[in-house]
Amino acid sequence: MIKIRDGVVANRPVYLAIGIDCEGAKQVLGLWVGPTTGESAKFWLTVLSELKSRGAGDVCIVCCDGLTGLPDAITVTWPQAIVQLCVVHYADLRVMPTWPAVPLVVAA
């Protein structure tokens, strides 16, 4: 969460997408300031469509923590991609359901 002044100061989430290329190097694909209303399929579809238009066209696996609408948006953007629930996030969700979202995109 960061504080953003847009007329008034409000806490807003920031989402980070990390990609791993064929050589195994990690790349920061982008940062997005999320809506104050929370995640939605529309928000994630916008983010993933932007990634695809910037060149992430052949994605093999997307590892995420099961955010609302994210698996559906992944399937729409990259139909052949495998959506994998991160084991660490899965364990954290059982203990602390408000863990921050960090999707991980693996491109081939």
Side-chain angles (χ1 to χ4, degrees):
M1 290 286 196
I2 62 170
K3 294 191 181 295
I4 294 181
R5 183 184 310 267
D6 187 17
V8 296
V9 176
N11 286 331
R12 301 276 297 275
V14 175
Y15 300 100
L16 168 70
I18 300 171
I20 302 173
D21 61 21
C22 293
E23 289 79 36
K26 294 179 185 176
Q27 306 288 331
V28 174
L29 303 177
L31 294 163
W32 291 267
V33 176
T36 57
T37 57
E39 302 97 16
S40 68
K42 182 179 177 182
F43 169 73
W44 288 114
L45 190 56
T46 302
V47 169
L48 298 176
S49 296
E50 179 185 331
L51 286 173
K52 186 173 183 175
S53 70
R54 289 176 32 213
D58 191 16
V59 174
C60 299
I61 300 170
V62 179
C63 183
C64 61
D65 64 354
L67 296 169
T68 305
L70 183 54
D72 294 333
I74 293 165
T75 303
V76 168
T77 309
W78 299 294
Q80 301 298 321
I82 297 168
V83 178
Q84 173 65 50
L85 181 64
C86 177
V87 175
V88 173
H89 285 125
Y90 177 72
D92 287 340
L93 286 172
R94 291 179 29 211
V95 175
M96 185 173 44
T98 58
W99 189 256
V102 182
L104 175 65
V105 178
V106 179

